[in-house]
Amino acid sequence: VITGSFDGTAQLWSVDSGECIRTLRGHHGCVRSAAFSHDGMQILTASDDRTARVWAAHTGLCLRTLEGHAGSVASASFAPDAACILTSSWDCTARLWSAGTGDSLCIFQGHTDYVRSAVLSPDAARVLTASDDCTAKLWHRETGECLLTLRGHAVFVLSAVFSPDGVQALTASADHSVKVWSARTGECLRTLEGHCAHVYSAVFTPDTSHIRNAFDGGDGGDDVTGARSTSCPTPLLAT
Protein backbone atom coordinates (compact mmCIF):
# COMPACT_ATOMS: atom_id res chain seq x y z
CA VAL A 1 0.00 0.00 0.00
CA ILE A 2 1.25 3.50 -0.83
CA THR A 3 -0.06 6.65 0.85
CA GLY A 4 0.55 10.37 0.30
CA SER A 5 0.33 12.95 3.08
CA PHE A 6 0.14 16.65 3.89
CA ASP A 7 3.43 16.09 5.76
CA GLY A 8 5.23 16.08 2.40
CA THR A 9 6.02 12.38 2.34
CA ALA A 10 4.69 9.20 0.81
CA GLN A 11 4.86 5.95 2.75
CA LEU A 12 4.96 2.32 1.67
CA TRP A 13 3.18 -0.10 3.99
CA SER A 14 2.97 -3.85 4.51
CA VAL A 15 -0.62 -5.08 4.20
CA ASP A 16 0.17 -8.13 6.34
CA SER A 17 1.83 -6.40 9.28
CA GLY A 18 0.55 -2.83 8.94
CA GLU A 19 4.12 -1.60 9.37
CA CYS A 20 5.66 1.24 7.37
CA ILE A 21 8.29 -0.30 5.12
CA ARG A 22 9.69 2.87 3.61
CA THR A 23 9.20 6.65 3.70
CA LEU A 24 9.75 8.61 0.49
CA ARG A 25 11.18 12.03 1.30
CA GLY A 26 12.04 14.82 -1.11
CA HIS A 27 8.90 16.81 -1.83
CA HIS A 28 8.61 20.30 -0.33
CA GLY A 29 4.84 20.41 -0.09
CA CYS A 30 1.96 18.07 0.61
CA VAL A 31 1.75 14.93 -1.52
CA ARG A 32 -1.66 15.02 -3.21
CA SER A 33 -1.52 11.65 -4.94
CA ALA A 34 0.59 8.49 -4.93
CA ALA A 35 0.33 5.52 -7.27
CA PHE A 36 2.21 2.40 -8.35
CA SER A 37 3.29 1.62 -11.88
CA HIS A 38 1.36 -1.30 -13.33
CA ASP A 39 4.25 -3.70 -12.63
CA GLY A 40 4.63 -2.40 -9.06
CA MET A 41 8.28 -1.53 -9.59
CA GLN A 42 7.91 2.25 -9.40
CA ILE A 43 5.91 4.78 -7.38
CA LEU A 44 4.64 8.11 -8.73
CA THR A 45 3.82 11.06 -6.48
CA ALA A 46 2.28 14.50 -7.13
CA SER A 47 2.89 17.45 -4.84
CA ASP A 48 2.08 21.04 -4.00
CA ASP A 49 5.78 21.80 -4.66
CA ARG A 50 4.80 21.87 -8.38
CA THR A 51 6.56 18.59 -9.20
CA ALA A 52 5.83 14.93 -9.67
CA ARG A 53 8.44 12.35 -8.71
CA VAL A 54 9.19 8.79 -9.80
CA TRP A 55 10.61 6.48 -7.12
CA ALA A 56 12.01 2.96 -7.04
CA ALA A 57 9.52 0.96 -4.98
CA HIS A 58 12.16 -1.47 -3.65
CA THR A 59 14.72 1.11 -2.52
CA GLY A 60 12.82 4.40 -2.10
CA LEU A 61 15.35 6.13 -4.35
CA CYS A 62 14.00 9.11 -6.30
CA LEU A 63 14.64 8.20 -9.94
CA ARG A 64 13.24 11.30 -11.62
CA THR A 65 11.66 14.67 -10.85
CA LEU A 66 9.15 16.06 -13.34
CA GLU A 67 9.40 19.85 -13.35
CA GLY A 68 7.44 22.32 -15.47
CA HIS A 69 4.08 22.98 -13.86
CA ALA A 70 3.53 26.48 -12.49
CA GLY A 71 1.14 25.34 -9.75
CA SER A 72 0.43 22.44 -7.42
CA VAL A 73 0.35 19.06 -9.14
CA ALA A 74 -3.03 17.58 -8.24
CA SER A 75 -2.69 14.11 -9.77
CA ALA A 76 -0.18 11.88 -11.53
CA SER A 77 -0.60 8.48 -13.16
CA PHE A 78 1.31 6.08 -15.38
CA ALA A 79 0.11 5.13 -18.84
CA PRO A 80 -0.76 1.41 -19.09
CA ASP A 81 2.58 0.67 -20.78
CA ALA A 82 4.42 2.83 -18.18
CA ALA A 83 6.16 4.70 -21.02
CA CYS A 84 4.39 7.97 -20.22
CA ILE A 85 3.12 9.85 -17.18
CA LEU A 86 0.07 12.11 -17.09
CA THR A 87 -0.25 14.97 -14.58
CA SER A 88 -2.87 17.60 -13.80
CA SER A 89 -2.18 20.91 -12.11
CA TRP A 90 -3.60 24.00 -10.52
CA ASP A 91 -1.81 25.96 -13.27
CA CYS A 92 -4.89 25.12 -15.44
CA THR A 93 -3.05 22.53 -17.55
CA ALA A 94 -2.36 18.84 -17.81
CA ARG A 95 0.91 17.43 -19.12
CA LEU A 96 2.17 14.23 -20.67
CA TRP A 97 5.74 13.26 -19.80
CA SER A 98 8.25 10.64 -20.86
CA ALA A 99 8.60 8.22 -17.95
CA GLY A 100 12.08 7.32 -19.14
CA THR A 101 13.60 10.79 -19.52
CA GLY A 102 11.24 13.09 -17.62
CA ASP A 103 10.82 15.29 -20.70
CA SER A 104 7.51 17.09 -21.19
CA LEU A 105 5.91 15.64 -24.33
CA CYS A 106 2.62 17.54 -24.57
CA ILE A 107 0.78 20.30 -22.71
CA PHE A 108 -3.02 20.28 -22.65
CA GLN A 109 -4.05 23.94 -22.43
CA GLY A 110 -7.58 25.34 -22.54
CA HIS A 111 -9.05 25.18 -19.06
CA THR A 112 -9.47 28.48 -17.23
CA ASP A 113 -9.19 27.18 -13.66
CA TYR A 114 -7.55 24.38 -11.64
CA VAL A 115 -7.33 21.00 -13.38
CA ARG A 116 -8.29 18.51 -10.69
CA SER A 117 -7.66 15.25 -12.53
CA ALA A 118 -6.40 13.83 -15.82
CA VAL A 119 -6.74 10.26 -17.09
CA LEU A 120 -5.92 8.39 -20.27
CA SER A 121 -8.56 6.51 -22.24
CA PRO A 122 -8.32 2.69 -22.22
CA ASP A 123 -6.67 2.78 -25.66
CA ALA A 124 -4.35 5.58 -24.46
CA ALA A 125 -5.30 7.74 -27.48
CA ARG A 126 -7.22 10.44 -25.57
CA VAL A 127 -6.91 12.39 -22.33
CA LEU A 128 -9.85 13.38 -20.11
CA THR A 129 -9.49 16.28 -17.68
CA ALA A 130 -11.74 17.72 -14.95
CA SER A 131 -11.55 21.36 -13.92
CA ASP A 132 -12.82 23.98 -11.52
CA ASP A 133 -13.99 25.92 -14.60
CA CYS A 134 -17.11 23.67 -14.47
CA THR A 135 -16.11 21.62 -17.51
CA ALA A 136 -14.37 18.41 -18.47
CA LYS A 137 -12.41 18.19 -21.70
CA LEU A 138 -11.27 15.41 -24.01
CA TRP A 139 -7.96 15.84 -25.78
CA HIS A 140 -5.90 14.16 -28.47
CA ARG A 141 -2.97 12.61 -26.66
CA GLU A 142 -0.35 13.25 -29.34
CA THR A 143 -1.29 16.73 -30.57
CA GLY A 144 -2.83 18.25 -27.43
CA GLU A 145 -5.88 19.33 -29.46
CA CYS A 146 -9.10 19.73 -27.47
CA LEU A 147 -11.60 17.34 -29.10
CA LEU A 148 -14.66 17.94 -26.90
CA THR A 149 -15.71 20.17 -24.01
CA LEU A 150 -18.29 18.65 -21.66
CA ARG A 151 -20.48 21.48 -20.34
CA GLY A 152 -23.41 21.14 -17.97
CA HIS A 153 -22.20 21.15 -14.39
CA ALA A 154 -23.05 24.26 -12.38
CA VAL A 155 -19.79 24.38 -10.39
CA PHE A 156 -16.42 22.63 -10.06
CA VAL A 157 -15.89 19.26 -11.78
CA LEU A 158 -13.90 17.33 -9.18
CA SER A 159 -13.10 14.19 -11.18
CA ALA A 160 -13.63 12.60 -14.57
CA VAL A 161 -13.05 9.04 -15.80
CA PHE A 162 -13.65 6.89 -18.86
CA SER A 163 -15.85 3.81 -18.91
CA PRO A 164 -13.83 0.57 -19.26
CA ASP A 165 -14.58 0.47 -23.00
CA GLY A 166 -13.78 4.16 -23.50
CA VAL A 167 -17.20 4.86 -25.03
CA GLN A 168 -18.47 7.01 -22.17
CA ALA A 169 -17.11 9.54 -19.70
CA LEU A 170 -18.26 10.08 -16.13
CA THR A 171 -17.92 13.35 -14.20
CA ALA A 172 -18.42 14.10 -10.50
CA SER A 173 -19.12 17.65 -9.36
CA ALA A 174 -19.48 20.00 -6.43
CA ASP A 175 -23.00 20.68 -7.74
CA HIS A 176 -23.99 17.38 -6.02
CA SER A 177 -24.46 15.48 -9.29
CA VAL A 178 -22.77 12.91 -11.50
CA LYS A 179 -23.11 13.04 -15.28
CA VAL A 180 -22.65 10.33 -17.91
CA TRP A 181 -21.44 11.56 -21.30
CA SER A 182 -20.81 10.16 -24.74
CA ALA A 183 -17.04 10.26 -25.17
CA ARG A 184 -17.62 10.35 -28.94
CA THR A 185 -20.06 13.25 -29.24
CA GLY A 186 -19.95 15.05 -25.89
CA GLU A 187 -23.69 14.56 -25.38
CA CYS A 188 -24.86 14.26 -21.76
CA LEU A 189 -26.59 10.87 -21.62
CA ARG A 190 -27.74 10.94 -18.02
CA THR A 191 -27.55 13.04 -14.85
CA LEU A 192 -27.49 11.23 -11.51
CA GLU A 193 -28.89 13.37 -8.71
CA GLY A 194 -29.59 12.62 -5.06
CA HIS A 195 -26.50 13.58 -3.09
CA CYS A 196 -26.82 16.57 -0.77
CA ALA A 197 -23.18 17.71 -1.01
CA HIS A 198 -20.05 17.58 -3.19
CA VAL A 199 -19.50 14.38 -5.17
CA TYR A 200 -15.74 13.88 -5.24
CA SER A 201 -15.41 10.81 -7.45
CA ALA A 202 -17.43 8.37 -9.51
CA VAL A 203 -16.42 5.21 -11.36
CA PHE A 204 -18.10 2.56 -13.47
CA THR A 205 -18.15 -1.09 -12.43
CA PRO A 206 -16.12 -3.22 -14.88
CA ASP A 207 -19.26 -4.29 -16.75
CA THR A 208 -20.57 -0.66 -16.87
CA SER A 209 -23.85 -1.73 -15.24
CA HIS A 210 -23.38 0.36 -12.09
CA ILE A 211 -21.70 3.60 -11.05
CA ARG A 212 -20.01 3.92 -7.69
CA ASN A 213 -19.50 7.41 -6.26
CA ALA A 214 -17.98 8.94 -3.17
CA PHE A 215 -19.45 12.03 -1.57
CA ASP A 216 -19.22 14.46 1.31
CA GLY A 217 -22.37 13.82 3.30
CA GLY A 218 -21.96 16.88 5.50
CA ASP A 219 -24.73 19.48 5.70
CA GLY A 220 -22.40 22.25 6.73
CA GLY A 221 -21.54 20.66 10.08
CA ASP A 222 -19.51 17.49 10.49
CA ASP A 223 -17.57 16.15 7.51
CA VAL A 224 -19.34 12.86 7.00
CA THR A 225 -18.25 10.86 3.98
CA GLY A 226 -19.79 7.87 2.27
CA ALA A 227 -20.32 5.96 -0.95
CA ARG A 228 -23.33 5.11 -3.05
CA SER A 229 -23.95 2.66 -5.86
CA THR A 230 -26.27 3.58 -8.71
CA SER A 231 -27.74 0.95 -11.01
CA CYS A 232 -27.75 1.47 -14.74
CA PRO A 233 -30.78 -0.68 -15.73
CA THR A 234 -30.21 -0.09 -19.44
CA PRO A 235 -26.88 0.05 -21.24
CA LEU A 236 -25.40 3.55 -21.48
CA LEU A 237 -24.19 3.54 -25.05
CA ALA A 238 -23.12 6.47 -27.16
CA THR A 239 -24.90 6.85 -30.44
Side-chain angles (χ1 to χ4, degrees):
V1 173
I2 185 69
T3 57
S5 172
F6 269 66
D7 65 10
T9 71
Q11 292 191 318
L12 187 65
W13 305 81
S14 167
V15 174
D16 293 330
S17 68
E19 294 180 355
C20 178
I21 301 169
R22 193 163 292 111
T23 298
L24 309 182
R25 303 182 189 276
H27 281 298
H28 302 289
C30 82
V31 177
R32 292 196 170 267
S33 76
F36 284 103
S37 58
H38 294 273
D39 61 7
M41 298 298 292
Q42 296 180 343
I43 294 168
L44 179 61
T45 54
S47 172
D48 275 0
D49 66 7
R50 303 183 179 185
T51 72
R53 288 177 180 249
V54 182
W55 312 77
H58 292 302
T59 65
L61 177 68
C62 181
L63 304 175
R64 202 158 289 108
T65 300
L66 309 181
E67 297 179 290
H69 279 298
S72 298
V73 182
S75 69
S77 59
F78 285 101
D81 61 4
C84 296
I85 290 167
L86 184 63
T87 58
S88 67
S89 172
W90 289 4
D91 66 5
C92 307
T93 72
R95 285 185 182 236
L96 190 70
W97 311 76
S98 166
T101 66
D103 292 338
S104 178
L105 303 177
C106 190
I107 303 175
F108 305 96
Q109 295 178 301
H111 283 296
T112 58
D113 209 332
Y114 297 164
V115 179
R116 296 274 181 171
S117 70
V119 295
L120 283 163
S121 59
D123 63 3
R126 294 167 295 165
V127 170
L128 176 62
T129 54
S131 173
D132 278 11
D133 66 9
C134 309
T135 72
K137 290 179 180 285
L138 285 98
W139 313 78
H140 191 286
R141 169 184 164 170
E142 298 297 330
T143 66
E145 176 190 1
C146 181
L147 304 173
L148 292 170
T149 298
L150 309 182
R151 304 181 189 276
H153 283 295
V155 289
F156 309 152
V157 181
L158 300 177
S159 72
V161 298
F162 285 99
S163 59
D165 58 10
V167 173
Q168 295 150 20
L170 189 61
T171 54
S173 172
D175 67 8
H176 308 178
S177 76
V178 173
K179 290 181 181 288
V180 184
W181 310 80
S182 165
R184 294 171 177 167
T185 68
E187 177 189 3
C188 182
L189 304 175
R190 189 164 302 170
T191 299
L192 310 179
E193 298 177 301
H195 285 302
C196 59
H198 296 8
V199 185
Y200 287 100
S201 66
V203 295
F204 288 98
T205 56
D207 64 2
T208 322
S209 64
H210 288 72
I211 293 165
R212 189 74 173 168
N213 50 82
F215 62 95
D216 180 350
D219 58 1
D222 294 337
D223 291 328
V224 181
T225 59
R228 180 174 295 171
S229 181
T230 303
S231 175
C232 300
T234 57
L236 299 173
L237 300 178
T239 56

